[in-house]
Amino acid sequence: MSYINERVSYLKGLADGLELGNDASAKLLKAMIEVMDDMAEAIRDNEDNIIQLDECIDEIAEQFDEVDEYLDDVEERLDVIEEELEDCDCDCDCDDCDDCDRDCDCDCFDDDDFVEITCPNCNEAVYFDNCMLESGEDLICPSCGKDIISCCEDECCCGDCE
């Protein structure tokens, strides 16, 4: 829009070169040229503001794309978690609870399935379910990280012991 500024400058120069005088029509013409100059400046300011707004919109669009990618990643992770929960081998057969939440009222899971063992290393009370105890694997204390029960406690079953 710089051509508007150029044209207004041309009109100012033309009016000055014509030496219009001070009669009513000359004053009107000069006032009109001043108004045109103000309008040209306002247009220039608006163009600058539009350019700044366009840059802001581009920035917001980039940030929106980043948020969109993040949400897609979260959605993918949730899908994986849902699939893992669906593949859970929970032995609860009732319809009153979701797999593995064990917060149902069906009595399919009770506290009798857990055994409390005191860690001989840190004296922390640790709970294991019967399946873990019967697995024959080492049981590790979640507090201190040391063996609570070794699979070879009574006699060697793994062949790795001396």
Side-chain angles (χ1 to χ4, degrees), residues 7 87 107 126:
R7 292 178 72 189
D87 293 340
D107 296 330
V126 183

Side-chain angles (χ1 to χ4, degrees), residues 95-126:
D95 292 332
D96 294 336
C97 64
D98 295 330
D99 288 344
C100 291
D101 71 357
R102 305 201 192 265
D103 287 334
C104 63
D105 297 327
C106 66
D107 296 330
C108 62
F109 183 80
D110 56 25
D111 292 337
D112 294 338
D113 291 338
F114 283 100
V115 175
E116 178 181 338
I117 298 176
T118 302
C119 176
N121 303 300
C122 68
N123 294 321
E124 187 76 26
V126 183

Side-chain angles (χ1 to χ4, degrees), residues 24-72:
S25 53
K27 287 181 182 180
L28 178 64
L29 207 56
K30 289 178 184 178
M32 289 173 66
I33 292 173
E34 286 301 315
V35 169
M36 285 187 226
D37 189 40
D38 292 342
M39 290 171 61
E41 186 176 330
I43 290 171
R44 185 177 48 249
D45 290 345
N46 285 340
E47 285 177 337
D48 291 342
N49 290 337
I50 289 170
I51 290 169
Q52 288 178 346
L53 285 173
D54 196 34
E55 290 171 357
C56 287
I57 289 171
D58 288 343
E59 257 182 67
I60 291 170
E62 287 176 18
Q63 291 173 351
F64 178 76
D65 288 342
E66 290 174 11
V67 168
D68 195 38
E69 288 175 18
Y70 174 77
L71 290 176
D72 287 344

